[in-house]
Amino acid sequence: MLVKVPQQVKTLDKIPSFGCLDDSPRGRVLRAAAHLFRVNGYEGTTVREIASLVGIQSGSLFHHFKSKEEILFTVMKEVIEYTSAKQNDAIGQVSSYREKLKALIISELYAINGVTCDAMTVLVFEWSALSRSHQHDLLALRTAYENTWVNILQKLQEQTGYVQSPQAWRKYLVGSIAWTVTWFKKDGSLTLEDLAEQLLLMALGKK
Amino acid sequence: MLVKVPQQVKTLDKIPSFGCLDDSPRGRVLRAAAHLFRVNGYEGTTVREIASLVGIQSGSLFHHFKSKEEILFTVMKEVIEYTSAKQNDAIGQVSSYREKLKALIISELYAINGVTCDAMTVLVFEWSALSRSHQHDLLALRTAYENTWVNILQKLQEQTGYVQSPQAWRKYLVGSIAWTVTWFKKDGSLTLEDLAEQLLLMALGKK
Amino acid sequence: MLVKVPQQVKTLDKIPSFGCLDDSPRGRVLRAAAHLFRVNGYEGTTVREIASLVGIQSGSLFHHFKSKEEILFTVMKEVIEYTSAKQNDAIGQVSSYREKLKALIISELYAINGVTCDAMTVLVFEWSALSRSHQHDLLALRTAYENTWVNILQKLQEQTGYVQSPQAWRKYLVGSIAWTVTWFKKDGSLTLEDLAEQLLLMALGKK
Amino acid sequence: MLVKVPQQVKTLDKIPSFGCLDDSPRGRVLRAAAHLFRVNGYEGTTVREIASLVGIQSGSLFHHFKSKEEILFTVMKEVIEYTSAKQNDAIGQVSSYREKLKALIISELYAINGVTCDAMTVLVFEWSALSRSHQHDLLALRTAYENTWVNILQKLQEQTGYVQSPQAWRKYLVGSIAWTVTWFKKDGSLTLEDLAEQLLLMALGKK
DNA sequence: AATGAATGAGCTTTCATTCAT
DNA sequence: CATGAATGAAAGCTCATTCAT
């Protein structure tokens, strides 16, 4: 029989911290879980593996979280909140809509490929593993996040006459950005800034 | 405790056929599996659910396939082969590289959103559920498929002076296209042809 | 996980025939079964393996035998009857009890190590895999077979004054003989005749 | 249809302890398994039956052992080590080779018919149910055990001029001894000491 | 808070047996 | 008689979760 060989994982101190995914006991669980969920999938990760990466027994996880699914939910909630805040910071620091769009692209590229990589990927790819009620709880946050994009694209459309609908435009961009998780290597020749520049050109229809 | 509620699924005859995912006993298993794997994930789908959708007992699955993982592999292999053939057909029928690119975009949009939607989505999102050796077996096919894109983009770059590397260009496009699976609705106001036209404009940097 | 690797088996024509374990369709099933039961055990052998060795489909076995267990029963019954007949032949051809004992020893050594090796080993080692009612059916035959030994040993005891009870004596001998199946190699330097001679000496208490 | 009726088994506290087959949770599993493996065979015993005899759930077995096969391996390993130690003790306490041989016979008779009866019988009769790599792991221990016999028989041969090879001699004796498991009853008129005496006479060729 | 043995439901897979063709 | 797809019960094993310590 073919045996599924889970990817070898780093040690916990190689997994970056952000927000409440910090170095507290609780934060260590979230970081380990985010990493494993990204690499092996939510269903493909056991609570024992999470505990083992943290360096505790699996039973101890349940002192911090009611269930495995609550760990997933917490990872997702935290990354949306953290990323939204970063996003709002970024667009608040520039004035033109072109610059705001670039700020959004950069901000999302960093979310997907920087320290929040694990959690952000999990947010995107493991949505269906959430319970319905937790999906509902997060939907408002996700929608607010998306609306920021659509609003800025709307303004740009008014100014530039770009033909496509802001909603579609947003989706093409987010697709391209999300997809970078499947191929972008931090230590390759292309930097995230290069990437952002290219995507901005694509978005604005410049050759 | 929060209970995961799997999505309600169609009956088997609502799930489209293609290639060897036909109406034979074996093909029915593959169609049911492709659908359930897309909706609930590979790990989130049980062999009993597949069997129940086909209308047989779970033990009978193993007459047709050695293991659950072999079902996943077969779905993926079939959709790559089927889609590659379609892709080659499509680019063979037009002569300019601009038209070839449009043919590729349309062809991939249909692969992701048409009759091969279930299988194609599974190919993209459940790659890590494959055993290593099966990943290896499919990699050659995937690479050939990707090279077709890169070659055509290369020619276009030479002709149009587009600044980005064909590899990166390919990735932005495939990201946008793959992402449509998360939002495109067949019965909405936007058709796949509209989508293809917009993506082509984006790819060629036209406003 | 550790995977049990069943011993590689011969082709059917390398497995010797005797009695009704002949070259008829039915006999071929019995020979294949006897061989596999010896090598991999009754529970460790599947009907598919038996059928595959015979060169038919597993469903076809059930035209010849009601169940897998009936195959086991038939193998055992046949080897007892065949071996008993041989045994009676052998002791009928000599007159002294010493010679009769030697005939018994030789006859049993051949049963365990000759053409009936597979079936005889199965008879000895898979008794507990038989259903109770089939055990009961064979017990009369086994007892008759054993009594032949005990009777002859009794006579020898009367003549030679050997101190041990014939029952115990029989058991020591049959143990030594049965055990040969675990170590005797037909193509080694020791022949079955040599073995018989040594065991006879041991039985008669000669140095 | 004929239905296999497994032998009724004792309760766990009737199954004797020795070595690490003690009254710890782990030892209780081993004792239950050894007993059931002897009575119904390895393949004929289910993990649910073992668990039920221990008084736990079947899933709990896998806290103590990785697999059913590892239980078998542990039973076998433990009984070899325990028996070897006993054997060495026994021959160390006497000086003549005749007495050492008698010590070996007694020691092995007790191994096969005393508190280690279940495990020892399993060691002898279920060897082929072990995975290849576990067979390999145990072979060194088995060989050391056998060599003790052969060495002592060699010395005796030199002193007494006994005609047979020590290797063959060892095999006849071990066959007779192993076979006692099929017929010896602790509460019959014959004691293990009587048995040992008779086998020693047989071994030394005295009437 | 942490442990780790235990749970028990549910998983994938096996396999003797049946039966329409 | 032979086939081979299908059955369905039961196998070995997994795993999130609980709880006495």
Side-chain angles (χ1 to χ4, degrees), chain C residues 98-198:
Chain C
R98 193 186 187 286
E99 283 171 315
K100 284 183 196 291
L101 177 57
K102 184 168 183 189
L104 282 182
I105 290 173
I106 289 183
S107 157
E108 188 142 330
L109 274 172
Y110 272 91
I112 283 279
N113 296 285
V115 292
T116 51
C117 164
D118 287 335
M120 199 69 189
T121 310
V122 168
L123 175 64
V124 168
F125 287 88
E126 299 293 342
W127 183 257
S128 74
L130 267 190
S131 68
R132 290 290 168 81
S133 77
H134 273 158
Q135 283 183 359
H136 179 264
D137 293 347
L138 288 189
L139 219 46
L141 295 174
R142 279 185 77 147
T143 306
Y145 182 82
E146 301 222 348
N147 283 344
T148 305
W149 273 85
V150 174
N151 291 337
I152 286 171
L153 287 168
Q154 193 110 40
K155 296 287 185 187
L156 264 173
Q157 186 189 31
E158 288 162 13
Q159 290 178 6
T160 66
Y162 194 87
V163 294
Q164 302 181 28
S165 76
Q167 282 80 4
W169 205 1
R170 148 76 184 157
K171 279 160 185 158
Y172 303 147
L173 275 172
V174 82
S176 295
I177 295 171
W179 200 251
T180 58
V181 82
T182 67
W183 61 272
F184 180 74
K185 300 286 167 237
K186 205 190 309 290
D187 40 7
S189 62
L190 201 64
T191 65
L192 283 176
E193 278 76 16
D194 296 336
L195 255 178
E197 196 61 44
Q198 290 187 353

Side-chain angles (χ1 to χ4, degrees), chain D residues 36-109:
Chain D
L36 290 166
F37 290 165
R38 176 174 70 80
V39 175
N40 297 324
Y42 173 76
E43 303 274 3
T45 301
T46 70
V47 292
R48 279 177 172 81
E49 285 163 356
I50 298 172
S52 150
L53 186 53
V54 176
I56 60 176
Q57 296 293 316
S58 70
S60 307
L61 288 180
F62 296 90
H63 253 273
H64 302 290
F65 301 94
K66 283 210 315 287
S67 65
K68 181 187 173 188
E69 202 261 357
E70 203 194 55
I71 299 178
L72 176 67
F73 171 73
T74 310
V75 166
M76 288 181 170
K77 182 158 182 289
E78 184 61 18
V79 80
I80 295 186
E81 288 174 349
Y82 181 85
T83 304
S84 296
K86 285 277 180 188
Q87 188 194 50
N88 290 329
D89 271 8
I91 59 177
Q93 286 173 7
V94 292
S95 49
S96 78
Y97 286 107
R98 192 186 188 286
E99 283 171 314
K100 284 184 195 291
L101 177 59
K102 183 165 183 189
L104 283 182
I105 291 173
I106 289 183
S107 159
E108 189 145 329
L109 274 172

